[in-house]
Amino acid sequence: QQQVKQSPQSLIVQKGGISIINCAYENTAFDYFPWYQQFPGKGPALLIAIRPDVSEKKEGRFTISFNKSAKQFSLHIMDSQPGDSATYFCAASNSETSGSRLTFGEGTQLTVNP
Amino acid sequence: DSGVTQTPKHLITATGQRVTLRCSPRSGDLSVYWYQQSLDQGLQFLIQYYNGEERAKGNILERFSAQQFPDLHSELNLSSLELGDSALYFCASSVTGIGETQYFGPGTRLLVL
């Protein structure tokens, strides 16, 4: 019940296109859903995060869509750029019972072709 | 740069050995987390400390232990190392340790030969 499922495993888009990564969770007690971006040899860096009281959050070219009833959330990267090529992880945590331990999805390797 | 520092960057050791990984959290952060990243297991939570006290435990092996010191830096001790322990070990920190952004360090890459 602690799992977070992420798809696709890899994604190739053209420069200027839209990248979409999806995640699904099982634990309805999760109340914080961040997305992290990781470049090779670096630690994960927070990209954008959402809480279940809103259905969408946008920051620049990055948007999280959240569907509480379906227990799904997704990351949309508009106008994708070659510099966005990285691995993206969705995550979830339950702040009530287990601190802020993050349960991560499996990751999506995004390649943006110029 | 997240403000979280980890040393060493790389570590090569042999099976059966013991190593210590060190983490310094961002200034003002009281909570420290350790995660393991491997190809087959992905990013897995190991353990969390808040202001010196253990707060949460994940799938951390009994051969692994951690602590957080009064100056808030943390150490992860890995003993009786096995080939399968080869992975990236990340430390993250946050202010209160409850439902907020975690900032990750650059990681320590451990290779057990």
Side-chain angles (χ1 to χ4, degrees):
Chain A
Q1 201 178 19
Q2 291 294 321
Q3 286 186 321
V4 176
K5 293 291 189 183
Q6 183 173 346
S7 63
Q9 189 174 356
S10 62
L11 181 62
I12 300 173
V13 302
Q14 292 299 119
K15 178 182 175 181
I18 302 174
S19 304
I20 301 174
I21 305 170
N22 301 298
C23 284
Y25 63 97
E26 299 171 359
N27 187 351
T28 55
F30 284 147
D31 59 5
Y32 176 66
F33 302 88
W35 284 88
Y36 280 84
Q37 179 189 55
Q38 185 179 26
F39 292 103
K42 304 289 186 183
L46 179 72
L47 201 57
I48 186 172
I50 198 168
R51 297 191 187 273
D53 52 342
V54 298
S55 60
E56 186 174 282
K57 183 174 181 181
K58 184 175 180 179
E59 289 183 1
R61 296 185 293 111
F62 302 94
T63 300
I64 298 180
S65 297
F66 186 82
N67 186 329
K68 190 174 181 178
S69 60
K71 293 187 285 185
Q72 294 175 349
F73 58 110
S74 60
L75 175 70
H76 294 232
I77 305 175
M78 311 299 289
D79 188 26
S80 299
Q81 299 296 313
D84 297 330
S85 297
T87 302
Y88 293 80
F89 293 92
C90 63
S93 69
N94 170 9
S95 58
E96 292 295 323
T97 60
S98 52
S100 289
R101 70 161 79 184
L102 290 169
T103 300
F104 283 90
E106 298 90 341
T108 296
Q109 188 164 342
L110 171 65
T111 301
V112 181
N113 289 327
Chain B
D1 184 0
S2 67
V4 179
T5 60
Q6 289 187 248
T7 56
K9 273 192 172 182
H10 304 277
L11 202 46
I12 302 174
T13 188
T15 54
Q17 295 298 304
R18 173 189 169 94
V19 297
T20 297
L21 312 183
R22 182 188 169 102
C23 166
S24 292
R26 294 187 322 153
S27 176
D29 285 359
L30 299 177
S31 195
V32 168
Y33 314 76
W34 287 97
Y35 292 86
Q36 179 193 56
Q37 185 175 36
S38 61
L39 283 174
D40 55 342
Q41 295 289 325
L43 265 165
Q44 298 280 326
F45 168 76
L46 295 178
I47 197 164
Q48 177 195 4
Y49 279 82
Y50 175 76
N51 205 20
E53 299 290 327
E54 182 183 305
R55 173 167 278 181
K57 217 168 188 176
N59 295 327
I60 187 167
L61 299 171
E62 283 192 15
R63 301 183 285 107
F64 296 1
S65 65
Q67 59 184 132
Q68 186 179 26
F69 294 86
D71 66 352
L72 301 177
H73 90 272
S74 177
E75 293 180 358
L76 179 67
N77 300 296
L78 316 177
S79 61
S80 303
L81 285 167
E82 302 175 0
L83 296 177
D85 298 326
S86 297
L88 267 168
Y89 292 85
F90 289 105
C91 167
S93 74
S94 69
V95 178
T96 67
I98 300 177
E100 61 193 352
T101 300
Q102 294 181 30
Y103 296 90
F104 281 74
T108 293
R109 184 175 294 276
L110 173 66
L111 180 60
V112 183
L113 300 175

